Amino acid sequence: MMELKGIPASPGIVTGKAFLYLDDNPPIPKYDISPSIIPLELERFEEAQRKAIRELEILKQRTNSEMSEETVGVLDSHLMLLQDPEVRERIVEELYAQKKNIEWVIHMTIQSYLEKLNHTSDPYLRERTADINDVTRRVLNHLLHRERISLSDIGEEVILVGKDLLPSEAIAMNKRMILGIALDEGGKTSHTAILARAFEIPAVLGLREITKHVHTGDEILIDGNRGIVILKPDEATKTYYMKTLEARTKKEVELLSLNELPAETKDGKLICLMGNIEVPEEVEALKGHGAEGVGLYRSEFLFLNPGRLPSEQMQYEAYRRVLEAMEGKTVTIRTLDLGGDKIIPDLVDANEKNPLLGWRAIRFCLSRVNIFRTQLRALFRASVHGKLQIMFPMISGIEELNQTLELVEQVKQDLRSEGVPFNEKVAIGCMIEIPSAALTSDVLARKVEFFSIGTNDLIQYTIAVDRGNQRTAYLYEPFHPAVLRLIRMTVENAHAVGIPVAMCGEMAGDPLATVILLGLGLDELSMNAFSIPAVKKIIRSVSMAEAEELVGTVMEMRSGKEIDTYVRQLMEKRFDLNTY
Ligand code: PEP
Ligand code: MG
């Protein structure tokens, strides 16, 4: 038995067999063959092709009943590529010309084809490279007798153990079979952690070396609440954890009884509790936990399928689905926030030196105006199906905001002249997640109808600490006085011109922060569905006077550690935070 401590990223306790996911690229062998071997090499190629087609067809059958149209579309395009006669012809020609083994010939032919694609000016063709790479790997894996490693193919229940996981891989994995996730890398607010919570998969990240200790098939136990992973747990340990799980489940059921009650302080201040979603399917969980609306829909997750951009119609349908499902409650959709750790190879520059400070979110959208325009059109078209709000990520200052608002006006004008119906009164908001935006929030507040504070990035940029880096995770302090001052300043500037302020970063759903956020004057808190009941319970147990007094005290303190220790003691005395 061995215990490892990491970062608790998604709650829940689970045991199961490990699946070690190390997605390495194997070296491709290269050797000469005599002309008489060529027909045999061709046979091997055809057999590998047949196996890959069969594999994709099985995956498609399963996917059809479980997953989105988008995923099925990707599988279809892979099937088409595999059966493309032109590609086959090129490979056969090269095999006769080069007289090398078939793996090498395929590899080189596809590489030169990809080179050409990378230089075309057609973005659609350039974006096909991810698909071509994927299909080629599938065929090569069969030729090299490697087991196909793809998270969407996993057919038995496992606990996924790996170095790191891209958000696009997390989106594509077969969620029904992934019982838990344990990774060397990652922090609490990395997008993989956010997705694990969204999919209700217990996860511990930032474990540093778990991949060195685990083999596929080993039994492991994950406690996502406390950030603990136990390798080869003994019976006594398993029993202890199962009892803890039972106690937590009981507490959860108790908290759910608050669902129909308002989030109101003892002295009558109402706070709006909303939910964050990444995919439309999460709406049901929000409704089941008493969310009063959607405070953040991270629309970029629609874009994370490699190889193709979602069309205006496909986006419209996804937005409409969420709006209709929320039955007239507010739905806040954030426009595309790609970049940083949400990379689509070939669309966003994957080789930037500082991606977190680089070409991401609104910066990307304002330079790829066609992509942005398509999204805005889809959003406004969907606005007739519910109560939509739109907000923009990573606004750094007034010029960027003005440019964005101009584009919004253009899109509305286009729709008007085309006679396409939309709601003229869709509220427009701005995220405050860069210190420069918080510091100029008095200027920004005059231009929008609401603010939403993204603390995940605000903390990252204020303290200059990468939110996904486990080595510096100890510096990532939500209660750092600099962060609290920026939040207070933002709220004051917004309230001075009469606009509300929401918070949609992970801090909003942390029960430890609830009383401070009340005292700082936040009007709305948006979080993952499962945090809503616990936060509501705390709100209903305190008064605004108490919350303001606490804020008065902590704002005098000099460090995040000092504030954290003080708040933790105070909150633990009043609430049993361990079970939250
Ligand atoms: C944030 O930065 O707090 C936020 C909500 O956005 P994301 O986590 O998607 O960057
Ligand atoms: Mg952000």
Side-chain angles (χ1 to χ4, degrees):
M1 195 166 95
M2 178 179 187
E3 184 175 308
L4 298 170
K5 180 96 184 85
I7 296 167
S10 176
I13 295 175
V14 68
T15 52
K17 297 257 175 275
F19 173 75
L20 191 59
Y21 176 64
L22 298 173
D23 199 19
D24 48 348
N25 276 318
I28 309 293
K30 178 185 178 189
Y31 47 86
D32 294 326
I33 56 166
S34 72
S36 64
I37 302 288
I38 289 178
L40 291 179
E41 287 296 272
L42 262 178
E43 249 176 57
R44 286 180 60 222
F45 172 43
E46 277 157 9
E47 195 190 336
Q49 232 179 344
R50 273 196 302 274
K51 282 185 180 161
I53 291 172
R54 178 87 197 110
E55 209 172 56
L56 281 168
E57 275 167 351
I58 292 173
L59 194 57
K60 204 179 127 190
Q61 271 168 13
R62 200 185 70 213
T63 306
N64 258 330
S65 58
E66 278 172 21
M67 279 204 215
S68 66
E69 274 170 45
E70 191 67 356
T71 315
V72 176
V74 171
L75 294 176
D76 274 335
S77 71
H78 287 193
L79 277 165
M80 264 169 63
L81 276 169
L82 260 172
Q83 296 170 79
D84 187 333
E86 249 178 66
V87 177
R88 188 195 137 81
E89 206 173 301
R90 279 285 302 280
I91 290 173
V92 175
E93 266 172 28
E94 287 298 317
L95 181 65
Y96 277 98
Q98 292 190 29
K99 300 185 188 58
K100 295 270 185 298
N101 58 310
I102 188 71
E103 294 89 344
W104 183 255
V105 171
I106 295 174
H107 173 67
M108 292 311 289
T109 312
I110 298 295
Q111 283 314 309
S112 74
Y113 186 55
L114 288 178
E115 288 268 292
K116 279 192 206 129
L117 275 194
N118 277 332
H119 289 103
T120 83
S121 54
D122 180 341
Y124 176 77
L125 283 181
R126 264 187 281 128
E127 284 148 19
R128 305 292 293 162
T129 56
D131 287 320
I132 296 172
N133 262 323
D134 205 336
V135 169
T136 309
R137 252 200 29 228
R138 205 176 269 281
V139 174
L140 285 175
N141 281 341
H142 282 296
L143 283 165
L144 296 168
H145 302 287
R146 285 181 92 231
E147 212 175 298
R148 164 78 183 165
I149 301 178
S150 164
L151 296 179
S152 56
D153 295 351
I154 290 177
E156 58 174 333
E157 292 187 335
V158 291
I159 291 184
L160 185 68
V161 178
K163 285 200 170 92
D164 202 0
L165 197 61
L166 291 171
S168 53
E169 292 174 305
I171 276 277
M173 69 192 177
N174 184 1
K175 285 138 207 113
R176 288 208 317 199
M177 295 299 162
I178 309 283
L179 301 175
I181 298 174
L183 302 177
D184 286 343
E185 299 287 330
K188 200 170 188 138
T189 59
S190 63
H191 285 97
T192 301
I194 288 169
L195 280 175
R197 287 193 286 278
F199 300 141
E200 292 180 63
I201 300 176
V204 180
L205 308 189
L207 285 153
R208 292 161 194 259
E209 297 204 319
I210 187 163
T211 47
K212 290 203 179 134
H213 301 290
V214 172
H215 300 105
T216 294
D218 286 352
E219 187 174 17
I220 68 172
L221 182 151
I222 286 192
D223 179 352
N225 295 61
R226 294 197 296 144
I228 287 173
V229 174
I230 298 175
L231 314 182
K232 303 185 180 152
D234 58 26
E235 283 310 310
T237 309
K238 280 198 273 187
T239 312
Y240 166 80
Y241 273 95
M242 286 312 120
K243 284 215 171 105
T244 313
L245 179 62
E246 257 172 51
R248 281 189 198 151
T249 313
K250 211 169 133 212
K251 182 85 191 176
E252 241 173 68
V253 172
E254 239 176 81
L255 284 173
L256 285 178
S257 65
L258 298 176
N259 266 3
E260 301 305 318
L261 299 173
E264 183 177 14
T265 62
K266 287 206 289 199
D267 45 1
K269 164 128 192 216
L270 279 169
I271 304 294
C272 188
L273 293 189
M274 312 275 272
N276 292 353
I277 61 169
E278 284 68 39
V279 288
E281 289 78 6
E282 284 177 84
V283 164
E284 289 316 310
L286 289 195
K287 290 183 8 191
H289 288 77
E292 291 168 63
V294 175
L296 166 65
Y297 174 8
R298 290 181 163 95
S299 66
E300 57 276 11
F301 284 91
L302 278 172
F303 289 68
L304 288 182
N305 275 323
R308 65 219 293 264
L309 287 171
S311 62
E312 180 183 318
Q313 185 61 17
M314 193 233 143
Q315 289 186 60
Y316 160 78
E317 278 160 19
Y319 306 147
R320 174 180 177 166
R321 201 169 139 199
V322 176
L323 283 159
E324 287 183 342
M326 288 310 291
E327 297 164 333
K329 291 184 174 146
T330 302
V331 173
T332 315
I333 303 187
R334 175 178 73 186
T335 57
L336 188 54
D337 183 4
L338 282 181
D341 64 345
K342 287 172 284 195
I343 299 282
I344 305 183
D346 312 314
L347 186 57
V348 174
D349 179 1
N351 296 316
E352 274 187 315
K353 281 218 172 107
N354 284 310
L356 292 170
L357 302 179
W359 194 45
R360 58 172 292 203
I362 200 70
R363 304 165 184 187
F364 171 83
C365 286
L366 290 175
S367 61
R368 296 291 298 268
V369 180
N370 286 343
I371 295 177
F372 196 24
R373 228 184 251 279
T374 303
Q375 178 170 42
L376 290 171
R377 283 181 63 92
L379 282 167
F380 278 103
R381 279 179 53 205
S383 68
V384 293
H385 299 291
K387 190 169 173 213
L388 174 69
Q389 299 193 139
I390 301 175
M391 66 181 181
F392 306 109
M394 296 279 295
I395 294 285
S396 64
I398 188 68
E399 268 133 21
E400 218 164 22
L401 181 59
N402 281 340
Q403 219 183 321
T404 306
L405 294 175
E406 255 169 50
L407 205 72
V408 167
E409 272 319 308
Q410 282 172 20
V411 166
K412 285 166 94 172
Q413 193 47 46
D414 287 350
L415 291 172
R416 272 183 217 116
S417 41
E418 289 166 32
V420 177
F422 67 95
N423 177 2
E424 292 275 358
K425 298 219 160 54
V426 170
I428 301 289
C430 162
M431 285 194 71
I432 302 291
E433 51 182 348
I434 301 185
S436 60
L439 290 162
T440 54
S441 51
D442 55 335
V443 182
L444 302 177
R446 292 193 181 87
K447 289 283 181 177
V448 289
E449 285 144 283
F450 67 95
F451 278 159
S452 186
I453 304 179
T455 46
N456 305 338
D457 279 316
L458 187 63
I459 297 166
Q460 154 165 276
Y461 295 127
T462 304
I463 312 178
V465 53
D466 177 350
R467 60 196 261 192
N469 184 338
Q470 47 84 16
R471 219 171 264 144
T472 50
Y474 70 100
L475 284 173
Y476 190 91
E477 293 180 321
F479 293 152
H480 193 295
V483 174
L484 296 184
R485 287 178 202 187
L486 289 176
I487 296 173
R488 182 167 67 179
M489 178 183 282
T490 304
V491 174
E492 283 172 359
N493 285 332
H495 286 176
V497 294
I499 64 166
V501 187
M503 178 179 283
C504 62
E506 296 302 296
M507 188 176 182
D510 181 358
L512 198 62
T514 306
V515 185
I516 293 195
L517 299 180
L518 281 180
L520 285 169
L522 271 300
D523 303 290
E524 177 186 313
L525 301 175
S526 189
M527 62 202 76
N528 79 71
F530 309 93
S531 303
I532 293 175
V535 169
K536 188 188 280 185
K537 183 168 179 202
I538 294 175
I539 292 174
R540 292 179 58 83
S541 329
V542 294
S543 66
M544 280 307 286
E546 265 178 282
E548 279 158 13
E549 191 187 323
L550 175 64
V551 167
T553 308
V554 300
M555 289 315 245
E556 297 293 314
M557 294 180 174
R558 294 165 313 158
S559 81
K561 296 255 169 330
E562 206 181 328
I563 300 176
D564 190 90
T565 311
Y566 182 79
V567 175
R568 207 168 278 277
Q569 273 173 3
L570 193 103
M571 295 293 285
E572 273 166 7
K573 226 186 273 169
R574 288 195 54 175
F575 305 98
D576 181 9
L577 292 180
N578 275 336
T579 50
Y580 285 8

